[in-house]
Amino acid sequence: MQTRRPSRDTTIALIAILLLAFNLRPLATSVGPVLKQITADLSMGGALAGLLTSLPALCFAVFGALAPSIASRIGAHRTIGIALVALVVGQGARAWAPSAGLFLLFSVVALGGMALSNVLLPSLVRLHFPQRIGLATSLYSLSLTLGVTAASAATYPLAVALGGWRAAFTATTAIGLAALLCWLPMLRYAKAKHSTGPVAHHYSVASVARTRMGWAIAVMFGIQSAQAYTIFGWLPTIYIDAGLSEVSAGLMLGIATGAGIIPSFFTPIYASRKAEPVGLFLLIMAFLVAGYLGLWLAPTTLPWLWAIFLAFGTASFPLILALLGLRSRTASGTAALSGFAQSVGYLIAASGPFIVGVLHARTENWSWSIGFQLILVIPMTFVGIKCCRTWFIEDELPSGPPDVVPSL
């Protein structure tokens, strides 16, 4: 690794990473609370609305696969700098898009920036905090969850206060701009020289595609993301159709994301200290099932409780983030595993919100849609148990020199 840097540099890196993480979900979760307004304003039909809710996963799949390759050429720090520019520009432009087509196009630009950052973040954590992977992952997972919660709970009230969803989306670009400004000092790491020693070995996404464990964690990631993006995109609508007001439905989404703050912080720390966190994973799955059953059978009886259960049930996401760093020995291995798992995973995930929307449109109720989500829990449980066992991705990859300092 590089020689140890002063604590001030470590603090700057931590702040930049936490602000970056805060911006990695609001673009996606801010759509759900105002989805009805967006579709009405832009004349979107059911198919386009389904595509809109699936768009984050599709962009994460496509751009996520490109992230390790781009980073190997220009460096991860520069790549994330460019990604943040795309995020800010795309979010600002889509807020005032006059048509559905332009709204989707600018959404792709912004989500593409999110996708690049999303894949590279675990490798930067390993690079800057090699001895504190669990704690650093917990902190950025917490920041990510706070971003989700803020977007879920505040978007609709902000739209009411500012006069519509367009003004609300415009206001949120300030958060992305703050992250971009804080990232500028990180660009100096792109010019850092490799330490003396063996040449770094760069693992590729394609090499991970030839491993069993790479596919296992990709499937786990994919099903988890399908669950999460369905909740982000459709939960407010499910509650509204059950009889809750738009404000209350938005609050339920805020609870479904905000209640995940505690598990998002402690899950990676626990996973880093437990060789095989199978028990924790099974507990998470139990909460997910309980949340869906409550939403299915009695959505308005204890709506806040089902939202809390769903929040705890999506805590498999910070667990996967921790596994990406803990199940690789090198920064290059982490980037390759993250790139493959997220590109394939989000491709799987893209079908989740779309299928749920189609099932609802065909049946005009939410029973089949929620039942579909419950069925997905079964394969996720099998692959999740396998991923929680002890393994390292480099053991299945072609051998190479030790990863000293990748081109980050």
Side-chain angles (χ1 to χ4, degrees):
M1 294 297 299
Q2 293 171 298
T3 57
R4 182 168 298 183
R5 297 184 179 278
S7 58
R8 178 174 174 274
D9 284 2
T10 301
T11 302
I12 291 173
L14 180 61
I15 292 173
I17 286 174
L18 293 183
L19 269 175
L20 173 65
F22 189 88
N23 282 273
L24 291 185
R25 288 300 179 275
L27 271 169
T29 57
S30 60
V31 169
V34 291
L35 180 60
K36 286 183 176 292
Q37 296 179 26
I38 294 173
T39 54
D41 192 20
L42 298 177
S43 301
M44 288 186 181
L48 278 181
L51 175 60
L52 178 58
T53 57
S54 298
L55 198 58
L58 286 170
C59 290
F60 279 22
V62 174
F63 291 98
L66 301 175
S69 177
I70 296 173
S72 69
R73 289 174 172 82
I74 66 174
H77 297 90
R78 288 195 188 102
T79 302
I80 290 179
I82 294 171
L84 282 170
V85 172
L87 187 152
V88 172
V89 172
Q91 171 70 339
R94 80 170 183 167
W96 298 99
S99 66
L102 285 176
F103 181 88
L104 293 173
L105 175 62
F106 290 131
S107 294
V108 168
V109 173
L111 291 168
M114 283 178 55
L116 293 174
S117 303
N118 206 49
V119 167
L120 297 175
L121 192 51
S123 65
L124 289 179
V125 167
R126 171 169 280 280
L127 180 71
H128 289 281
F129 307 98
Q131 305 304 320
R132 296 291 185 92
I133 293 176
L135 178 59
T137 302
S138 292
L139 289 173
Y140 94 70
S141 176
L142 174 62
S143 181
L144 192 152
T145 304
L146 288 172
V148 172
T149 304
S152 303
T155 298
Y156 185 80
L158 194 61
V160 172
L162 297 179
W165 64 270
R166 294 184 183 275
F169 279 19
T170 302
T172 59
T173 59
I175 304 173
L177 184 59
L180 175 59
L181 293 176
C182 288
W183 194 259
L184 294 179
M186 298 291 286
L187 296 178
R188 71 182 185 272
Y189 290 104
K191 300 177 182 179
K193 301 295 183 183
H194 290 193
S195 61
T196 57
V199 177
H201 183 75
H202 297 290
Y203 297 108
S204 67
V205 171
S207 64
V208 176
R210 295 190 289 270
T211 67
R212 289 176 297 175
M213 292 312 303
W215 278 101
I217 201 165
V219 172
M220 179 186 181
F221 194 103
I223 298 178
Q224 187 282 329
S225 297
Q227 302 277 2
Y229 280 102
T230 298
I231 292 172
F232 296 157
W234 290 111
L235 187 63
T237 305
I238 293 174
Y239 275 124
I240 290 171
D241 288 349
L244 269 64
S245 67
E246 289 186 334
V247 174
S248 296
L251 178 61
M252 291 306 106
L253 180 59
I255 293 174
T257 54
I261 291 175
I262 294 176
S264 72
F265 179 76
F266 288 105
T267 296
I269 294 177
Y270 179 85
S272 67
R273 296 177 180 177
K274 187 77 172 178
E276 297 185 347
V278 176
L280 174 63
F281 172 69
L282 292 177
L283 178 62
I284 291 171
M285 290 296 95
F287 275 117
L288 187 62
V289 170
Y292 279 134
L293 287 177
L295 191 63
W296 189 359
L297 301 175
T300 59
T301 302
L302 294 170
W304 56 269
L305 182 61
W306 315 140
I308 290 174
F309 282 171
L310 290 175
F312 289 172
T314 55
S316 52
F317 180 69
L319 176 60
I320 296 173
L321 291 181
L323 290 176
L324 291 175
L326 296 170
R327 294 302 183 257
S328 53
R329 295 190 177 96
T330 64
S332 179
T334 302
L337 178 61
S338 177
F340 178 75
Q342 295 195 47
S343 60
V344 173
Y346 281 122
L347 192 60
I348 296 172
S351 63
F354 183 76
I355 291 175
V356 166
V358 170
L359 287 173
H360 172 65
R362 293 287 181 86
T363 62
E364 297 184 352
N365 65 69
W366 291 105
S367 297
W368 284 93
S369 299
I370 297 174
F372 171 71
Q373 293 292 87
L374 283 167
I375 291 173
L376 288 180
V377 172
I378 299 173
M380 182 178 174
T381 301
F382 282 108
V383 295
I385 291 173
K386 185 176 181 64
C387 291
C388 287
R389 301 300 184 190
T390 302
W391 56 276
F392 293 96
I393 194 62
E394 287 87 353
D395 293 341
E396 291 191 66
L397 294 173
S399 58
D403 186 9
V404 181
V405 180
S407 297
L408 296 175

